[in-house]
PDB file of all heavy atoms in Angstrom:
ATOM      1  N   TYR A  80     -26.819  -8.770  12.012  1.00  0.00           N
ATOM      2  CA  TYR A  80     -27.664  -9.960  11.823  1.00  0.00           C
ATOM      3  C   TYR A  80     -27.665 -10.894  13.026  1.00  0.00           C
ATOM      4  O   TYR A  80     -28.514 -11.768  13.110  1.00  0.00           O
ATOM      5  CB  TYR A  80     -27.365 -10.678  10.501  1.00  0.00           C
ATOM      6  CG  TYR A  80     -26.061 -11.435  10.389  1.00  0.00           C
ATOM      7  CD1 TYR A  80     -25.841 -12.631  11.061  1.00  0.00           C
ATOM      8  CD2 TYR A  80     -25.065 -10.980   9.537  1.00  0.00           C
ATOM      9  CE1 TYR A  80     -24.650 -13.334  10.922  1.00  0.00           C
ATOM     10  CE2 TYR A  80     -23.881 -11.664   9.386  1.00  0.00           C
ATOM     11  CZ  TYR A  80     -23.682 -12.847  10.081  1.00  0.00           C
ATOM     12  OH  TYR A  80     -22.507 -13.537   9.929  1.00  0.00           O
ATOM     13  N   GLU A  81     -26.740 -10.701  13.943  1.00  0.00           N
ATOM     14  CA  GLU A  81     -26.784 -11.527  15.166  1.00  0.00           C
ATOM     15  C   GLU A  81     -27.648 -10.888  16.260  1.00  0.00           C
ATOM     16  O   GLU A  81     -27.795 -11.459  17.337  1.00  0.00           O
ATOM     17  CB  GLU A  81     -25.365 -11.782  15.692  1.00  0.00           C
ATOM     18  CG  GLU A  81     -24.611 -12.798  14.833  1.00  0.00           C
ATOM     19  CD  GLU A  81     -23.236 -13.170  15.377  1.00  0.00           C
ATOM     20  OE1 GLU A  81     -22.745 -12.472  16.288  1.00  0.00           O
ATOM     21  OE2 GLU A  81     -22.666 -14.162  14.878  1.00  0.00           O
ATOM     22  N   ASN A  82     -28.226  -9.714  15.975  1.00  0.00           N
ATOM     23  CA  ASN A  82     -29.064  -9.033  16.968  1.00  0.00           C
ATOM     24  C   ASN A  82     -30.504  -9.576  16.895  1.00  0.00           C
ATOM     25  O   ASN A  82     -31.165  -9.472  15.861  1.00  0.00           O
ATOM     26  CB  ASN A  82     -29.032  -7.526  16.678  1.00  0.00           C
ATOM     27  CG  ASN A  82     -29.821  -6.729  17.694  1.00  0.00           C
ATOM     28  OD1 ASN A  82     -31.025  -6.880  17.822  1.00  0.00           O
ATOM     29  ND2 ASN A  82     -29.129  -5.869  18.419  1.00  0.00           N
ATOM     30  N   ASP A  83     -30.973 -10.160  18.007  1.00  0.00           N
ATOM     31  CA  ASP A  83     -32.294 -10.803  18.000  1.00  0.00           C
ATOM     32  C   ASP A  83     -33.429  -9.829  17.727  1.00  0.00           C
ATOM     33  O   ASP A  83     -34.407 -10.175  17.063  1.00  0.00           O
ATOM     34  CB  ASP A  83     -32.554 -11.493  19.346  1.00  0.00           C
ATOM     35  CG  ASP A  83     -31.636 -12.684  19.541  1.00  0.00           C
ATOM     36  OD1 ASP A  83     -31.149 -13.215  18.517  1.00  0.00           O
ATOM     37  OD2 ASP A  83     -31.383 -13.065  20.702  1.00  0.00           O
ATOM     38  N   GLN A  84     -33.322  -8.611  18.249  1.00  0.00           N
ATOM     39  CA  GLN A  84     -34.409  -7.639  18.027  1.00  0.00           C
ATOM     40  C   GLN A  84     -34.477  -7.222  16.562  1.00  0.00           C
ATOM     41  O   GLN A  84     -35.560  -7.030  16.021  1.00  0.00           O
ATOM     42  CB  GLN A  84     -34.184  -6.388  18.891  1.00  0.00           C
ATOM     43  CG  GLN A  84     -34.549  -6.593  20.340  1.00  0.00           C
ATOM     44  CD  GLN A  84     -34.175  -5.348  21.118  1.00  0.00           C
ATOM     45  OE1 GLN A  84     -32.993  -5.069  21.310  1.00  0.00           O
ATOM     46  NE2 GLN A  84     -35.177  -4.585  21.534  1.00  0.00           N
ATOM     47  N   ILE A  85     -33.317  -7.108  15.923  1.00  0.00           N
ATOM     48  CA  ILE A  85     -33.325  -6.776  14.490  1.00  0.00           C
ATOM     49  C   ILE A  85     -33.936  -7.936  13.712  1.00  0.00           C
ATOM     50  O   ILE A  85     -34.775  -7.738  12.829  1.00  0.00           O
ATOM     51  CB  ILE A  85     -31.902  -6.434  13.984  1.00  0.00           C
ATOM     52  CG1 ILE A  85     -31.435  -5.124  14.639  1.00  0.00           C
ATOM     53  CG2 ILE A  85     -31.880  -6.321  12.462  1.00  0.00           C
ATOM     54  CD1 ILE A  85     -30.078  -4.635  14.190  1.00  0.00           C
ATOM     55  N   ALA A  86     -33.545  -9.152  14.084  1.00  0.00           N
ATOM     56  CA  ALA A  86     -34.092 -10.327  13.395  1.00  0.00           C
ATOM     57  C   ALA A  86     -35.617 -10.360  13.526  1.00  0.00           C
ATOM     58  O   ALA A  86     -36.329 -10.721  12.585  1.00  0.00           O
ATOM     59  CB  ALA A  86     -33.473 -11.598  13.964  1.00  0.00           C
ATOM     60  N   GLU A  87     -36.115  -9.953  14.680  1.00  0.00           N
ATOM     61  CA  GLU A  87     -37.548  -9.975  14.937  1.00  0.00           C
ATOM     62  C   GLU A  87     -38.276  -8.866  14.150  1.00  0.00           C
ATOM     63  O   GLU A  87     -39.279  -9.128  13.486  1.00  0.00           O
ATOM     64  CB  GLU A  87     -37.741  -9.781  16.457  1.00  0.00           C
ATOM     65  CG  GLU A  87     -39.154  -9.605  16.953  1.00  0.00           C
ATOM     66  CD  GLU A  87     -39.982 -10.880  16.837  1.00  0.00           C
ATOM     67  OE1 GLU A  87     -39.370 -11.977  16.853  1.00  0.00           O
ATOM     68  OE2 GLU A  87     -41.212 -10.756  16.727  1.00  0.00           O
ATOM     69  N   SER A  88     -37.745  -7.654  14.214  1.00  0.00           N
ATOM     70  CA  SER A  88     -38.495  -6.509  13.665  1.00  0.00           C
ATOM     71  C   SER A  88     -38.054  -6.080  12.262  1.00  0.00           C
ATOM     72  O   SER A  88     -38.818  -5.426  11.560  1.00  0.00           O
ATOM     73  CB  SER A  88     -38.361  -5.300  14.595  1.00  0.00           C
ATOM     74  OG  SER A  88     -38.786  -5.630  15.894  1.00  0.00           O
ATOM     75  N   TYR A  89     -36.836  -6.400  11.894  1.00  0.00           N
ATOM     76  CA  TYR A  89     -36.325  -5.949  10.584  1.00  0.00           C
ATOM     77  C   TYR A  89     -35.633  -7.114   9.861  1.00  0.00           C
ATOM     78  O   TYR A  89     -34.450  -7.028   9.512  1.00  0.00           O
ATOM     79  CB  TYR A  89     -35.320  -4.800  10.769  1.00  0.00           C
ATOM     80  CG  TYR A  89     -35.872  -3.623  11.551  1.00  0.00           C
ATOM     81  CD1 TYR A  89     -35.706  -3.548  12.933  1.00  0.00           C
ATOM     82  CD2 TYR A  89     -36.550  -2.584  10.907  1.00  0.00           C
ATOM     83  CE1 TYR A  89     -36.204  -2.475  13.657  1.00  0.00           C
ATOM     84  CE2 TYR A  89     -37.057  -1.514  11.622  1.00  0.00           C
ATOM     85  CZ  TYR A  89     -36.876  -1.462  12.996  1.00  0.00           C
ATOM     86  OH  TYR A  89     -37.377  -0.404  13.707  1.00  0.00           O
ATOM     87  N   PRO A  90     -36.353  -8.223   9.645  1.00  0.00           N
ATOM     88  CA  PRO A  90     -35.687  -9.399   9.057  1.00  0.00           C
ATOM     89  C   PRO A  90     -35.047  -9.129   7.694  1.00  0.00           C
ATOM     90  O   PRO A  90     -34.074  -9.794   7.336  1.00  0.00           O
ATOM     91  CB  PRO A  90     -36.795 -10.450   8.973  1.00  0.00           C
ATOM     92  CG  PRO A  90     -38.080  -9.693   9.077  1.00  0.00           C
ATOM     93  CD  PRO A  90     -37.788  -8.470   9.901  1.00  0.00           C
ATOM     94  N   ALA A  91     -35.548  -8.143   6.953  1.00  0.00           N
ATOM     95  CA  ALA A  91     -34.945  -7.869   5.642  1.00  0.00           C
ATOM     96  C   ALA A  91     -33.509  -7.373   5.795  1.00  0.00           C
ATOM     97  O   ALA A  91     -32.668  -7.602   4.917  1.00  0.00           O
ATOM     98  CB  ALA A  91     -35.785  -6.855   4.866  1.00  0.00           C
ATOM     99  N   LEU A  92     -33.225  -6.723   6.921  1.00  0.00           N
ATOM    100  CA  LEU A  92     -31.843  -6.281   7.159  1.00  0.00           C
ATOM    101  C   LEU A  92     -30.934  -7.471   7.412  1.00  0.00           C
ATOM    102  O   LEU A  92     -29.752  -7.452   7.063  1.00  0.00           O
ATOM    103  CB  LEU A  92     -31.786  -5.334   8.365  1.00  0.00           C
ATOM    104  CG  LEU A  92     -32.030  -3.866   8.098  1.00  0.00           C
ATOM    105  CD1 LEU A  92     -32.045  -3.092   9.412  1.00  0.00           C
ATOM    106  CD2 LEU A  92     -30.955  -3.298   7.162  1.00  0.00           C
ATOM    107  N   VAL A  93     -31.501  -8.505   8.020  1.00  0.00           N
ATOM    108  CA  VAL A  93     -30.735  -9.742   8.216  1.00  0.00           C
ATOM    109  C   VAL A  93     -30.504 -10.410   6.863  1.00  0.00           C
ATOM    110  O   VAL A  93     -29.401 -10.887   6.566  1.00  0.00           O
ATOM    111  CB  VAL A  93     -31.464 -10.694   9.199  1.00  0.00           C
ATOM    112  CG1 VAL A  93     -30.732 -12.029   9.299  1.00  0.00           C
ATOM    113  CG2 VAL A  93     -31.607 -10.036  10.565  1.00  0.00           C
ATOM    114  N   ASP A  94     -31.551 -10.419   6.009  1.00  0.00           N
ATOM    115  CA  ASP A  94     -31.382 -10.978   4.653  1.00  0.00           C
ATOM    116  C   ASP A  94     -30.161 -10.343   3.989  1.00  0.00           C
ATOM    117  O   ASP A  94     -29.321 -11.033   3.407  1.00  0.00           O
ATOM    118  CB  ASP A  94     -32.585 -10.660   3.755  1.00  0.00           C
ATOM    119  CG  ASP A  94     -33.903 -11.256   4.244  1.00  0.00           C
ATOM    120  OD1 ASP A  94     -33.861 -12.235   5.005  1.00  0.00           O
ATOM    121  OD2 ASP A  94     -34.969 -10.722   3.843  1.00  0.00           O
TER     122      ASP A  94
END
Side-chain angles (χ1 to χ4, degrees):
Chain A
Y80 72 72
E81 286 185 347
N82 183 297
D83 292 337
Q84 283 175 290
I85 293 182
E87 173 70 26
S88 304
Y89 305 92
L92 273 176
V93 175
D94 298 338

